[in-house]
Amino acid sequence: MVTITVTPEQLSGLDLAPVQSWLEQTIDLSLNRIDESALATIEKQVQFDIQFARQEGDPRELSEIPEVRLWFIRLDSVHPWFPLCLDWQAGEFTRYAAMLVPHEFHRVDGIQFNPEALDLFVMGKVFVLADWLKKYQLPAQFRLKSLAQLLGYDLDENFLAQL
């Protein structure tokens, strides 16, 4: 696993250098191609260490802090395929989704996403990732199905075959 640290300065400057640096060290983005072995080196590897100082008693989760959310919105717009890099088992994809999808936290039930916004996010990611994986001729169906299941969606095989 890889931990990418994001400092307060990088958050406020919308600086994606920590992600860019890791990607450049791990795969050669200049080749504009990714094969199965290159994908294996980045897939499900990343955890984030978001360093954002909060005042004493600030009850907000990181995904409720505008500066943090904005940094993730920028990351998602520059690298919309980045969810493939996240450590899904450690909950990084769910946290990533929380940065981009309106939600509320409940003490008992945990995170509750806005249902319509979550629908749009999941389908948007499925379409982006399906195209990205297809571009590099990488297997997509299992990856897309697994990603959707993390957020409670079960994608139909016939639907996935159309992508």
Side-chain angles (χ1 to χ4, degrees), residues 8-138:
E9 296 78 23
Q10 291 163 331
L11 289 169
S12 66
L14 299 175
D15 181 1
L16 300 179
V19 171
Q20 284 298 126
S21 176
W22 174 72
L23 285 170
E24 289 168 3
Q25 290 172 16
T26 310
I27 58 174
D28 188 352
L29 292 174
S30 67
L31 295 176
N32 200 24
R33 70 175 170 80
I34 293 183
D35 59 18
E36 192 70 39
S37 66
L39 182 59
T41 64
I42 63 171
E43 190 172 30
K44 299 181 185 172
Q45 296 296 311
V46 173
Q47 295 181 13
F48 281 108
D49 174 19
I50 306 299
Q51 298 180 346
F52 188 86
R54 289 178 263 187
Q55 293 182 354
E56 183 76 27
D58 185 346
R60 297 178 298 172
E61 297 287 332
L62 287 173
S63 62
E64 296 174 298
I65 299 171
E67 297 89 342
V68 177
R69 290 186 86 170
L70 193 58
W71 187 89
F72 276 89
I73 291 168
R74 176 150 169 75
L75 172 61
D76 193 64
S77 67
V78 173
H79 300 295
W81 49 268
F82 200 78
L84 290 174
C85 301
L86 299 170
D87 181 354
W88 296 358
Q89 289 185 336
E92 287 293 323
F93 178 64
T94 303
R95 182 163 84 156
Y96 187 89
M99 298 295 179
L100 303 171
V101 178
H103 62 278
E104 293 180 1
F105 281 101
H106 296 277
R107 293 193 193 281
V108 176
D109 299 327
I111 191 168
Q112 298 293 305
F113 289 105
N114 173 294
E116 290 88 15
L118 187 61
D119 288 345
L120 293 172
F121 173 76
V122 169
M123 293 316 303
K125 282 295 148 208
V126 165
F127 292 140
V128 163
L129 294 172
D131 288 346
W132 189 82
L133 291 164
K134 186 184 292 185
K135 174 182 175 181
Y136 296 112
Q137 300 173 348
L138 296 166

